[in-house]
Amino acid sequence: MKFFVDTADTDAIHELNELGIVDGVTTNPSLIHKSGRGIKEVIAQIAEMVDGPVSAETVATDFETMVHEGHEVAKLGENIAIKVPLTWNGLKACKRLSGEGHMVNVTLCFSANQALLAAKAGATFVSPFIGRLDDINLDGMDLIGDIRDIYDNYGFETQILAASIRSVNHMTEAARIGADVATAPPDVIKKMAEHPLTDKGLKAFLEDWAKTGQSIL
Ligand code: E4P
């Protein structure tokens, strides 16, 4: 499973990128707002920093303007994935932009039928939002499983980009089910390294080591 970082915070991306675990980045209008920076400046910087796809979201709701915005954000780097919403106009824009050779991430996907349409429209990525389904008492992970089954039934090449990830358990489950990519906030990715038994074991080893009076260096 590829790891994308769901943030427009370039310091956080830099730290994870140094570890070599960043396969791409996703942003959205809320994350751009949180960064306090201009979309073009921040997306261009991120696209320069990472080798993989960097999703930049369009904000128009009509087809023509969405395509125009897609062309604008695509100029910000060679690795830009144009993000469009899973609306009828978004699907039309996906078809146009993917037909032109751009990577397209169809976002705000909340049903298997929506994901089926995104694949038919030539999406590079479809982004089902796990956490937001969990928020309304549905099971976001069930949707990842349904899309996996459907895409595998027909050999669709659209990649399932598990999004709206809120916990480390979401990461485990997305990987178990077979999401192609998971995009998560930096703190969730860092928490994946934590385990209380690791901390407890390390503490005991260090205490015993101190008793030996030895030094490795
Ligand atoms: C994905 O591309 C979205 O930016 C993101 O995962 C949304 O997450 P949220 O529901 O936690 O805002």
Coordinates of all heavy atoms in Angstrom, one line a residue, residues 6 26-28 31 57 83 105 107 127 129 131-132 135 161-166 183 185, ligand 1:
D6 N -1.7 13.5 4.0 CA -2.8 14.4 3.8 C -2.6 15.7 4.5 O -3.1 15.9 5.6 CB -4.1 13.6 4.3 CG -5.4 14.2 3.8 OD1 -5.4 14.7 2.7 OD2 -6.4 14.1 4.6
T26 N -1.8 14.5 -0.6 CA -3.1 15.0 -1.0 C -3.4 16.3 -0.2 O -3.0 16.4 1.0 CB -4.2 14.0 -0.6 OG1 -4.1 13.6 0.7 CG2 -4.1 12.8 -1.5
T27 N -4.0 17.2 -0.9 CA -4.5 18.4 -0.2 C -5.9 18.6 -0.6 O -6.5 18.0 -1.4 CB -3.7 19.7 -0.7 OG1 -3.9 19.9 -2.1 CG2 -2.2 19.5 -0.5
N28 N -6.6 19.6 0.1 CA -7.9 19.9 -0.2 C -8.1 21.4 0.2 O -7.2 22.0 0.8 CB -9.0 19.0 0.5 CG -8.9 19.1 2.0 OD1 -8.7 20.1 2.6 ND2 -9.1 17.9 2.6
L31 N -7.4 22.1 3.9 CA -5.9 22.0 4.2 C -5.1 23.2 3.7 O -4.2 23.7 4.4 CB -5.4 20.7 3.7 CG -5.9 19.4 4.4 CD1 -5.4 18.2 3.6 CD2 -5.5 19.3 5.8
E57 N -6.8 20.4 -5.5 CA -8.2 20.3 -5.7 C -8.8 21.5 -6.4 O -8.5 22.7 -6.1 CB -9.0 20.1 -4.4 CG -10.4 19.7 -4.5 CD -11.0 19.0 -3.3 OE1 -10.2 18.5 -2.5 OE2 -12.2 19.0 -3.2
K83 N -7.6 17.2 -8.6 CA -8.7 16.6 -7.8 C -10.0 17.3 -8.2 O -10.1 18.5 -8.2 CB -8.4 16.9 -6.3 CG -8.6 15.8 -5.4 CD -8.0 16.2 -4.0 CE -8.5 15.2 -2.9 NZ -8.1 15.7 -1.6
N105 N -7.7 12.7 -9.5 CA -8.2 12.1 -8.3 C -9.6 12.5 -8.1 O -9.9 13.7 -7.9 CB -7.3 12.6 -7.1 CG -7.7 12.1 -5.8 OD1 -8.7 11.5 -5.6 ND2 -6.9 12.5 -4.8
T107 N -12.6 12.9 -5.8 CA -12.7 12.9 -4.3 C -14.1 13.0 -3.8 O -15.1 13.1 -4.6 CB -11.8 14.1 -3.8 OG1 -11.7 14.1 -2.4 CG2 -12.5 15.5 -4.2
S127 N -11.2 8.6 -4.3 CA -10.9 8.8 -2.8 C -12.2 8.6 -2.0 O -13.0 9.5 -1.8 CB -10.4 10.2 -2.6 OG -9.1 10.4 -3.1
F129 N -14.0 8.4 1.4 CA -13.8 9.0 2.7 C -14.2 8.1 3.9 O -15.4 8.1 4.2 CB -14.5 10.4 2.8 CG -13.7 11.5 2.1 CD1 -13.0 11.3 1.0 CD2 -13.8 12.8 2.7 CE1 -12.3 12.4 0.4 CE2 -13.2 13.9 2.1 CZ -12.4 13.7 0.9
G131 N -13.4 8.2 7.4 CA -13.8 8.8 8.6 C -15.1 9.5 8.6 O -15.9 9.4 9.6
R132 N -15.4 10.1 7.5 CA -16.7 10.9 7.4 C -17.9 10.0 7.4 O -19.0 10.4 7.8 CB -16.7 11.9 6.2 CG -15.6 13.0 6.4 CD -15.7 14.1 5.4 NE -14.5 14.9 5.4 CZ -14.4 16.1 4.8 NH1 -15.4 16.5 4.1 NH2 -13.3 16.7 4.8
D135 N -18.3 8.9 10.9 CA -18.9 10.0 11.7 C -20.4 9.9 11.7 O -21.0 10.4 12.6 CB -18.5 11.3 11.1 CG -17.0 11.7 11.3 OD1 -16.4 11.0 12.2 OD2 -16.5 12.6 10.7
L161 N -7.9 5.1 -3.2 CA -7.1 6.0 -2.4 C -7.9 6.2 -1.1 O -8.8 7.0 -1.0 CB -6.8 7.3 -3.1 CG -5.7 8.2 -2.6 CD1 -5.5 9.3 -3.6 CD2 -5.9 8.7 -1.2
A162 N -7.7 5.3 -0.1 CA -8.4 5.4 1.2 C -8.1 6.8 1.8 O -7.0 7.1 2.1 CB -8.1 4.3 2.1
A163 N -9.2 7.6 2.0 CA -9.0 8.9 2.5 C -9.8 9.1 3.8 O -10.6 8.2 4.2 CB -9.4 9.9 1.4
S164 N -9.7 10.3 4.4 CA -10.4 10.7 5.6 C -10.0 9.6 6.7 O -10.9 9.1 7.4 CB -11.9 10.8 5.4 OG -12.6 11.3 6.5
I165 N -8.7 9.3 6.7 CA -8.2 8.4 7.7 C -8.0 9.1 9.0 O -7.3 10.2 9.0 CB -7.0 7.7 7.2 CG1 -7.4 6.6 6.1 CG2 -6.1 7.1 8.2 CD1 -6.4 5.8 5.6
R166 N -8.5 8.5 10.1 CA -8.4 9.2 11.4 C -7.6 8.5 12.4 O -7.3 9.0 13.5 CB -9.8 9.4 12.0 CG -10.8 10.1 11.0 CD -10.8 11.6 11.1 NE -11.6 12.3 10.1 CZ -12.9 12.4 10.2 NH1 -13.6 11.9 11.2 NH2 -13.6 13.0 9.2
T183 N -4.2 7.8 2.3 CA -3.7 9.1 2.7 C -4.1 9.5 4.1 O -5.3 9.4 4.4 CB -4.2 10.2 1.6 OG1 -3.4 11.4 1.9 CG2 -5.7 10.5 1.7
P185 N -3.2 12.0 7.8 CA -2.5 13.1 8.4 C -1.1 12.7 8.9 O -1.0 11.5 9.4 CB -3.4 13.6 9.5 CG -4.7 13.0 9.2 CD -4.4 11.7 8.5
Ligands
E4P1 C1 -8.5 13.4 1.0 O1 -8.0 13.6 0.0 C2 -9.0 14.4 2.0 O2 -8.1 15.5 1.9 C3 -9.0 14.0 3.4 O3 -8.6 12.7 3.6 C4 -10.2 14.4 4.1 O4 -10.1 14.0 5.5 P1 -11.1 14.5 6.6 O5 -12.4 13.9 6.5 O6 -10.4 14.1 7.9 O7 -11.1 16.0 6.5

